[in-house]
């Protein structure tokens, strides 16, 4: 009897671990797809945005270069298949807390500021994630100020770490 209880509890723990990994992978893909959509709206993705997207995803999800490149490739396919932003933001809103949604908006601003072009689409994505106007403005200003203060040769990893920790870092 104890063996069957132990087996049952073990299977629940293993199932929960699998569920958490699956949710994490879905969250990574939805985040990457949203960031890809934001980086390419109205334009072909610039090299600066492509490089920043790679750097931000690699650092945020603690991935190696190959895994990051695969995630971006998968996200581009998901983005092409999606009709609108709601697909991504709905998924993210289901699994992320307020802090996670603010981090996603912070990553979004880092990418769109890579070449200095921001548009209303970026604001709409942040709105759909439930990040308040005040928080969006504050995040955008922090990223813009950080970009303005950086030398041109500053690498992306150092930049990401130098941005003031608005959200619990």
């Amino acid at each position: 009897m104890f063996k069957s209880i132990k087996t049952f509890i073990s299977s629940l723990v293993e199932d929960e671990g699998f569920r958490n990994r699956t949710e994490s992978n879905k969250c990574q893909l939805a985040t990457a797809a949203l960031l890809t959509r934001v980086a390419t709206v109205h334009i072909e993705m610039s090299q600066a945005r492509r490089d920043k997207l790679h750097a931000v995803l690699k650092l945020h999800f603690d991935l190696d270069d190959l895994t990051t490149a695969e995630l971006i490739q998968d996200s581009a396919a998901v983005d092409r298949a999606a009709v609108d932003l709601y697909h991504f933001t709905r998924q993210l809103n289901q699994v992320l807390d307020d802090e996670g949604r603010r981090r996603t908006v912070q990553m979004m601003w880092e990418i769109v500021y890579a070449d200095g072009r921001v548009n209303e689409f970026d604001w709409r994505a942040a709105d759909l994630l439930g990040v308040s106007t005040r928080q969006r403005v504050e995040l955008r200003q922090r990223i813009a100020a950080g970009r303005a203060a950086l030398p041109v040769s500053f690498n992306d990893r150092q930049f990401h770490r130098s941005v003031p920790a608005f959200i619990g870092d």
Side-chain angles (χ1 to χ4, degrees), residues 87-161:
H87 178 75
F88 309 126
T89 56
R90 187 184 72 242
Q91 287 180 339
L92 293 172
N93 283 331
Q94 288 174 352
V95 296
L96 296 176
D97 59 7
D98 288 338
E99 179 181 322
R101 290 189 296 272
R102 284 189 301 266
R103 283 180 191 253
T104 301
V105 171
Q106 180 177 338
M107 291 187 294
M108 185 178 68
W109 288 138
E110 288 182 44
I111 292 164
V112 299
Y113 270 101
D115 60 9
R117 293 182 278 182
V118 179
N119 61 55
E120 75 243 13
F121 190 81
D122 307 327
W123 285 94
R124 181 68 180 139
D127 186 48
L128 289 170
L129 287 170
V131 176
S132 73
T133 301
R134 183 188 60 76
Q135 291 170 329
R136 288 191 302 252
V137 169
E138 196 170 299
L139 284 167
R140 186 189 60 154
Q141 288 172 342
R142 288 174 186 251
I143 298 299
R147 294 296 297 175
L150 294 175
V152 174
S153 64
F154 213 82
N155 86 34
D156 288 330
R157 186 172 180 87
Q158 289 172 324
F159 167 69
H160 192 294
R161 290 178 187 245

Side-chain angles (χ1 to χ4, degrees), residues 12-36:
L12 287 177
V13 170
E14 288 174 8
D15 287 348
E16 185 64 28
F18 176 76
R19 223 181 341 254
N20 288 341
R21 282 190 305 279
T22 302
E23 286 300 315
S24 176
N25 290 342
K26 285 180 183 177
C27 183
Q28 285 181 3
L29 186 57
T31 300
L34 175 64
L35 296 177
T36 299

